[in-house]
């Protein structure tokens, strides 16, 4: 007997399949079960949570946000005082501190990472050897161990205030941290800043114009010199004309204390050091992979066209390598930002430390506090990945 | 060479023989040439070489002095490692590590029961070697042993079971290496299957499963592990009925396992995406069901290409286990932190010694894992190059 499914004439109805064997129905059934299970778990969690909170007499809600916090924070850029500030203020202090250490860390880690990454590919075997073992050692040790090492074994073991280590530019390093001259803006610095901003805008405009002109006529413009003039020479002139409106509060070493200056606390330094050195090892690997991803034929073709090595790397290798480097580089930046939450362990008052640490202990509002903290990190991550997706679509090779 | 270029050319001004190439200048070949090219090529290279040599000469001898030559190897308390007239220079205080060695390994696990931890370590070592050494026989049995038998045995061995004559040891007594190993082992064993499920869900055509998996993966990957652990530690007890309130270790295990699964899901997804579509279509054309297709065709290939990434994920997980101190567990690093500030051993070099010991420990494990991943990668690339 012929299978009816095989003998179907074109245009006839497909054979009836029992819903149990129909992939469509099965998928509906599976999704219904999945949603049922998730719904049940969420419902259970909520009912248990409300019951447990009632029993522990914790009122849920965000009422604590405007209550006086009453605890000091050891490091804050903006104004914060334990007598008058609220938990909301503490949140903002923590958030700014997180962003501060992340921003400085990202800049320094990028510099160091690119240097080490290029050094790993160096023809000089000694340079390559040192870079390789830097990466191997730093990547294979937990970040927490490195932070504790910097904090407890290095910075805490520095000499006391009396025997501070003197660094160039009137800086002092001791067990209380690093003291450097504090820049004091005076009248007229705003104008210099404005010149710099204007120069930046003009530079971008000139670059766009130069590229358009080159694409249409093939003529090159001295973009480098113009940028240098706009960004360095004119602002420096403005600085001199305005009467050098920048003073420095230079720290003075007294008998028992160092007076004045800008103090970077050991907590901040340890966190910054640890994050920069650790992330730079990962960035170095990203950079190395990016450079190696540019096929050797590209370089050879450039040499065959008569381009010199430095022009080749500037115009041929780096643009192609950056396409490969930038996506993983961004995820390293995100990792650094997320890892800055390890500040808890060295006592730097970042968001995780201030909020999920002190505020949580004082208020007991576990769900709200942990929820807000996660939301902050989540929005940083998601917004970055949106920007990255946009960028990736823009630079992706258009393949046939 | 001397080979004649053309036999019937008798013009006197034509060169008859190919001139043998002259040897390259002696300073471009051999060891001299190598050194010139790799160490002293140009001003920049030369100065880099000199700077690095000076740096190594500045750093290495004091480090070796500290770790080996000035180190203190014997002693029972801080007296051995403090500066005094008898030894004005004191290096690493290895006596401290020796004295606290069992604390670093077992935490406060009761001393008469410590053989159970040792047995657990031995059983675990057998499973790891059986699974990783490719030349050993019956590695399928090894998988059953590692993923089914070993967890069950370990549970009863470590926690105890009065029926078997093993006294109960509550998890708040566990510590040191034991906690680090348990947390990473559970994370490793749970995260792979869970990560595969999440990755398959993310790529499935069912909207409900897809949305749930994407939301879970992106949420967990978007927040730091510390906040996940905080959540597991302060929120998990709120979400479950009072009578099931999990102990600290279980909370940390849940947090670490969920966190690792989300990262594993992305690694597996990359492997799935790398497979050509023809593999799926071929499997479907053969009439395989979804489960058969995944189990027999897709996953073996996808997992094979992602093994290096899976291992580097495991390295990250192993390093991340140090963060479980935040929920109050005594992992390996925490035992060192506790011991180093203990007044019995208060001496200036005890802290650095503790950190050097911890660094050696973590480095050996992580480096071994990454070397294994590299070996596997080379094996796989060999297979692709046929």
């Amino acid at each position: 007997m012929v299978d009816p499914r095989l003998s179907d004439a074109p245009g006839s109805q497909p054979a009836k399949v029992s819903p149990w064997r129909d992939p469509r129905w099965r998928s509906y059934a599976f999704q219904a079960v999945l949603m049922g299970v998730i719904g049940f778990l969420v419902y259970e969690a909520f009912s248990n949570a409300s019951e447990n909170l009632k029993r522990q007499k914790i009122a849920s809600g965000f009422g604590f946000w405007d209550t006086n916090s009453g605890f000091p924070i050891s490091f804050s850029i903006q104004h914060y005082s334990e007598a008058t500030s609220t938990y909301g203020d503490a949140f903002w202090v923590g958030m700014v501190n997180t962003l501060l250490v992340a921003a400085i860390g990202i800049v320094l880690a990028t510099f160091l990472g690119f240097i080490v990454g290029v050094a790993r590919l160096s023809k000089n075997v000694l340079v390559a050897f040192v870079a390789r073992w830097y990466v191997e050692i730093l990547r294979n040790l937990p970040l927490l161990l490195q932070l504790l090492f910097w904090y407890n074994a290095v910075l805490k073991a520095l000499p006391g205030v009396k025997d501070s280590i003197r660094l160039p530019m009137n800086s002092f390093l001791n067990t209380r941290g690093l003291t450097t001259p504090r820049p004091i803006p005076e009248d007229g610095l705003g104008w210099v800043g404005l010149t710099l901003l204007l120069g930046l805008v003009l530079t971008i405009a000139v670059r766009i114009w130069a590229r358009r002109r080159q694409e249409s006529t093939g003529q090159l413009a001295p973009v480098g010199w113009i940028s240098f003039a706009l960004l360095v020479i004119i602002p420096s002139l403005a600085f001199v004309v305005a009467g050098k409106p920048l003073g420095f509060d230079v720290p003075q070493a007294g008998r028992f204390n160092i007076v004045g200056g800008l103090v970077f606390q050991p907590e901040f330094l340890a966190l910054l050091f640890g994050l920069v050195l650790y992330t730079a090892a990962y960035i170095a690997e990203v950079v190395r992979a990016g450079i190696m991803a540019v096929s050797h034929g590209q370089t050879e073709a450039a040499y065959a066209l008569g381009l010199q090595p430095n022009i080749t790397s500037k115009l041929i290798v780096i643009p192609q390598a950056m396409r490969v480097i930038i996506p993983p580089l961004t995820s390293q930046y995100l990792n650094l930002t997320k890892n800055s939450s390890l500040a808890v362990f060295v006592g730097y008052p970042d968001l995780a430390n201030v909020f999920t640490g002190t505020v949580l202990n004082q208020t007991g509002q576990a769900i709200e506090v942990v929820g807000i903290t996660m939301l902050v990190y989540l929005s940083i991550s998601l917004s970055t990945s949106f920007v990255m997706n946009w960028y990736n679509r823009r630079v992706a090779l258009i393949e046939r | 060479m001397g080979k004649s270029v053309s036999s019937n050319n008798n013009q006197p001004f034509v060169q008859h023989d190919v001139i043998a190439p002259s040897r390259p200048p002696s300073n471009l070949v051999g060891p001299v040439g190598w050194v010139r090219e790799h160490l002293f090529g140009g001003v920049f290279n030369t100065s880099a070489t000199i700077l690095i040599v000076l740096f190594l000469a500045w750093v290495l001898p004091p480090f070796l002095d500290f770790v080996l030559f000035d180190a203190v190897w014997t002693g029972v308390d801080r007296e051995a490692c403090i500066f005094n007239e008898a030894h004005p220079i004191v290096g690493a205080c290895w006596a401290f590590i020796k004295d606290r060695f069992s604390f670093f390994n077992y935490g406060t696990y009761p001393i008469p029961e410590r053989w159970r931890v040792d047995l657990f370590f031995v059983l675990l070592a057998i499973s790891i070697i059986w699974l990783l050494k490719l030349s050993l026989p019956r590695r399928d049995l090894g998988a059953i042993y590692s993923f089914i038998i070993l967890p069950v045995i370990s549970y009863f061995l470590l926690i105890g079971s009065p029926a078997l004559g093993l006294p109960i040891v509550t998890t708040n007594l566990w510590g040191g290496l034991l906690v680090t190993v348990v947390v990473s082992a559970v994370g490793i064993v749970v995260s792979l299957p869970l990560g595969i499920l999440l990755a398959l869900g993310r790529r499935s055509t069912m909207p409900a499963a897809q949305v749930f998996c994407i939301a879970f993966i992106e949420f967990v990957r978007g927040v730091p592990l510390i906040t996940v652990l905080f959540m597991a530690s302060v929120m998990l007890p709120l979400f479950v009925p009072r009578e099931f309130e999990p102990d600290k270790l279980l909370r940390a295990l849940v947090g670490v396992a969920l966190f690792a699964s989300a990262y594993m899901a992305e690694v597996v997804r990359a492997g799935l995406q790398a497979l050509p579509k023809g593999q799926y279509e071929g499997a479907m054309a053969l009439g395989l069901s979804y489960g058969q297709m995944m189990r027999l065709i897709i996953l073996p290939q996808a997992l094979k290409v992602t093994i290096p990434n899976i291992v580097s994920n495991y390295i990250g997980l192993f390093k991340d286990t140090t963060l479980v101190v935040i929920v109050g567990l005594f992992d390996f690093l925490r035992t060192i932190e506790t011991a180093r500030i203990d007044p019995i051993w208060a001496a200036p070099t005890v802290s650095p010694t503790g950190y050097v010991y911890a660094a050696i420990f973590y480095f050996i494990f992580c480096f071994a894992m990454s070397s294994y991943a590299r070996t596997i990668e080379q094996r796989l690339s060999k297979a692709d190059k046929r």
Side-chain angles (χ1 to χ4, degrees):
Chain A
M1 200 178 130
V2 180
D3 188 330
R5 278 172 298 184
L6 297 180
S7 66
D8 270 354
S12 71
Q13 290 291 313
K16 270 254 154 62
V17 187
S18 71
W20 185 238
R21 296 200 162 273
D22 187 339
R24 212 154 45 103
W25 286 107
R26 275 210 298 213
S27 122
Y28 288 150
F30 178 76
Q31 293 183 67
V33 171
L34 182 71
M35 279 158 76
V37 169
I38 294 171
F40 172 74
L41 287 178
V42 170
Y43 168 77
E44 272 292 294
F46 265 93
S47 61
N48 282 325
S50 62
E51 190 186 314
N52 284 330
L53 287 174
K54 212 182 287 166
R55 208 186 54 243
Q56 295 172 11
K57 300 201 173 55
I58 297 174
S60 53
F62 293 91
F64 69 96
W65 190 263
D66 293 321
T67 339
N68 178 251
S69 58
F71 66 90
I73 297 181
S74 60
F75 179 85
S76 70
I77 296 180
Q78 68 263 53
H79 174 74
Y80 177 90
S81 83
E82 66 178 287
T84 55
S85 296
T86 61
Y87 287 121
D89 294 329
F91 167 79
W92 288 111
V93 170
M95 176 118 161
V96 168
N97 283 348
T98 291
L99 293 178
L100 179 78
V101 77
I104 301 178
I106 282 174
V107 173
L108 296 180
T110 310
F111 267 111
L112 187 60
F114 269 76
I115 292 172
V116 176
V118 173
R120 278 211 64 179
L121 295 168
S122 167
K123 229 196 244 176
N124 187 326
V125 280
L126 216 52
V127 172
F129 173 83
V130 170
R132 175 172 173 220
W133 281 99
Y134 169 83
V135 171
E136 289 286 3
I137 292 175
L138 277 269
R139 285 205 323 168
N140 283 327
L141 296 181
L143 176 58
L144 178 57
L145 173 62
Q146 298 184 31
L147 287 179
L148 291 174
F149 173 78
W150 289 116
Y151 186 61
N152 290 322
V154 176
L155 290 169
K156 283 276 149 184
L158 285 173
V161 180
K162 249 167 65 181
D163 321 296
S164 299
I165 302 171
R166 279 166 187 271
L167 298 175
M169 307 208 321
N170 286 317
S171 301
F172 298 92
L173 191 62
N174 55 40
T175 183
R176 288 192 209 159
L178 176 73
T179 313
T180 61
R182 177 197 288 273
I184 303 167
E186 289 161 14
D187 292 345
L189 193 67
W191 291 106
V192 180
L194 207 64
T195 334
L196 193 66
L197 198 69
L198 201 69
L200 199 68
V201 173
L202 279 178
T203 310
I204 294 172
V206 164
R207 283 185 174 246
I208 293 174
W209 167 79
R211 191 198 292 159
R212 289 227 180 108
R213 197 174 71 135
Q214 194 198 351
E215 277 169 5
S216 57
T217 66
Q219 284 176 310
L220 285 173
V223 182
W225 288 110
I226 296 176
S227 316
F228 181 70
L230 284 172
L231 287 177
V232 178
I233 296 179
I234 295 179
S236 329
L237 279 178
F239 184 72
V240 175
V241 169
K244 300 186 182 169
L246 183 67
F248 283 99
D249 172 16
V250 179
Q252 300 292 330
R255 275 179 68 88
F256 301 107
N257 218 339
I258 292 174
V259 187
L262 182 63
V263 183
F264 294 98
Q265 294 178 329
E267 292 79 25
F268 174 80
L269 291 178
L271 183 64
L272 189 66
F273 249 67
L275 285 176
V276 166
L277 294 180
Y278 184 74
T279 314
Y282 282 88
I283 291 180
E285 283 301 274
V286 167
V287 170
R288 186 176 74 108
I291 295 176
M292 296 213 324
V294 180
S295 85
H296 204 56
Q298 298 283 328
T299 326
E300 285 170 350
Y303 288 159
L305 287 173
L307 298 185
Q308 288 179 350
N310 56 343
I311 308 263
T312 304
S313 54
K314 196 176 125 196
L315 296 181
I316 310 289
V317 178
I318 291 177
Q320 297 189 68
M322 285 317 271
R323 197 203 303 279
V324 184
I325 288 174
I326 283 184
L329 186 65
T330 339
S331 77
Q332 288 309 324
Y333 289 168
L334 283 181
N335 279 348
L336 187 146
T337 313
K338 284 186 280 177
N339 282 337
S340 71
S341 59
L342 265 67
V344 177
F345 298 101
V346 292
Y348 174 73
D350 83 322
L351 180 64
N353 192 359
V354 170
F355 218 56
T356 44
T358 319
V359 174
L360 178 61
N361 278 340
Q362 290 201 359
T363 62
Q365 307 274 354
I367 298 180
E368 293 84 350
V369 167
V370 176
I372 290 172
T373 315
M374 287 183 141
L375 209 62
V376 170
Y377 285 108
L378 200 60
S379 38
I380 296 175
S381 300
L382 290 184
S383 51
T384 314
S385 57
F386 272 119
V387 173
M388 274 330 293
N389 286 344
W390 170 81
Y391 174 85
N392 273 337
R393 268 200 305 278
R394 228 181 69 111
V395 303
L397 283 176
I398 313 293
E399 291 189 30
R400 276 159 297 159
Chain B
M1 291 236 235
K3 196 181 146 207
S4 182
V5 175
S6 167
S7 51
N8 53 1
N9 193 338
N10 295 323
Q11 299 290 355
F13 52 84
V14 171
Q15 171 81 42
H16 289 264
D17 302 318
V18 174
I19 301 173
S22 50
R23 293 176 53 79
S26 64
N27 56 2
L28 290 185
V29 291
V32 179
W34 187 88
V35 167
R36 257 178 80 110
E37 190 186 345
H38 290 101
L39 293 175
F40 300 104
V43 179
F44 181 78
N45 247 336
T46 310
S47 42
T49 303
I50 293 171
L51 277 180
I52 287 176
V53 168
L54 287 178
F55 175 77
L56 291 180
W58 178 55
V59 166
L60 277 185
F63 179 74
L64 289 180
D65 279 347
F66 178 82
V67 175
L68 293 177
F69 303 122
D70 295 336
V72 178
W73 300 91
T74 51
V76 286
D77 60 7
R78 64 186 291 269
E79 290 298 322
C81 293
I82 50 176
F83 300 108
N84 56 23
E85 271 112 51
H87 28 80
I89 301 169
V90 176
C93 186
W94 294 120
F96 155 72
I97 303 290
K98 230 193 242 171
D99 188 48
R100 288 307 158 95
F101 190 67
S102 60
F103 179 59
F104 298 151
N105 285 344
Y106 312 103
T108 47
Y109 208 88
I111 293 173
E113 306 298 326
R114 283 184 181 174
W115 62 270
R116 284 155 55 176
V117 181
D118 293 332
L119 186 58
F120 164 69
F121 286 151
V122 171
L123 292 176
L124 188 70
I126 291 175
S127 113
I128 290 172
I129 294 171
W130 201 349
L131 282 185
L132 296 191
K133 197 150 167 37
L134 301 176
S135 55
L136 287 180
R138 296 310 303 266
R139 288 171 60 238
D140 51 338
L141 279 186
I144 294 175
Y145 164 74
S146 309
F147 291 102
I148 297 168
I149 302 176
L150 183 62
V152 175
I153 294 181
S154 312
Y155 179 84
F156 288 111
L157 194 60
L158 292 175
I159 291 191
S161 145
L164 297 174
L166 296 170
I168 299 275
V169 179
T170 49
T171 55
N172 57 358
L173 296 176
W174 298 18
L177 184 61
L178 173 64
V179 165
T180 294
V181 167
V182 165
V183 174
S184 10
V186 170
I188 284 171
V189 169
V190 173
S191 69
L192 188 58
L194 212 56
I196 292 175
L197 279 184
L198 284 168
L200 292 179
R202 188 166 184 167
R203 283 174 61 81
S204 91
T205 49
M206 292 182 271
Q210 211 185 6
V211 166
F212 171 73
C213 291
I214 291 180
F216 178 83
I217 293 171
E218 292 302 324
F219 173 76
V220 173
R221 279 164 44 92
V223 297
L225 175 57
I226 285 195
T227 56
V228 174
L229 286 173
F230 261 124
M231 189 168 137
S233 135
V234 296
M235 285 161 80
L236 200 63
L238 291 179
F239 288 154
V240 295
R242 199 180 175 184
E243 54 274 20
F244 294 125
E245 193 171 288
D247 70 354
K248 277 181 188 169
L249 182 68
L250 192 58
R251 292 179 206 179
L253 289 179
V254 170
V256 169
L258 291 183
F259 188 78
S261 309
Y263 280 81
M264 192 57 76
E266 287 299 276
V267 167
V268 174
R269 185 167 75 112
L272 291 174
Q273 273 174 344
L275 272 198
K277 215 169 169 230
Q279 296 291 328
Y280 292 85
E281 289 164 351
M284 283 187 232
L286 285 175
L288 299 185
S289 72
Y290 179 81
Q292 286 170 325
M293 172 172 82
M294 285 302 162
R295 195 161 45 84
L296 301 173
I297 310 285
I298 305 299
L299 283 179
Q301 299 185 71
L303 291 182
K304 192 187 96 171
V305 297
T306 49
I307 285 176
N309 293 335
I310 291 176
V311 176
S312 72
N313 226 358
Y314 283 163
I315 296 175
L317 172 66
F318 183 67
K319 288 189 295 176
D320 281 344
T321 57
T322 50
L323 300 189
V324 295
V325 292
I326 202 79
V327 296
L329 289 184
F330 266 76
D331 79 318
F332 180 74
L333 189 55
R334 179 70 195 276
T335 51
I336 287 180
E337 278 291 289
T338 318
R340 102 189 153 75
I341 51 176
D342 184 354
I344 300 174
W345 276 103
T349 60
V350 159
S351 294
T353 310
Y355 290 130
V356 169
Y357 176 60
I360 293 172
F361 166 80
Y362 282 106
F363 184 78
I364 287 177
F365 274 83
C366 296
F367 191 70
M369 279 194 261
S370 60
S371 310
Y372 183 76
R374 259 195 296 263
T375 322
I376 293 288
E377 207 168 355
Q378 275 159 10
R379 243 181 85 94
L380 294 179
S381 68
K382 227 181 267 169
D384 290 338
K385 267 189 200 140
R386 275 170 305 170

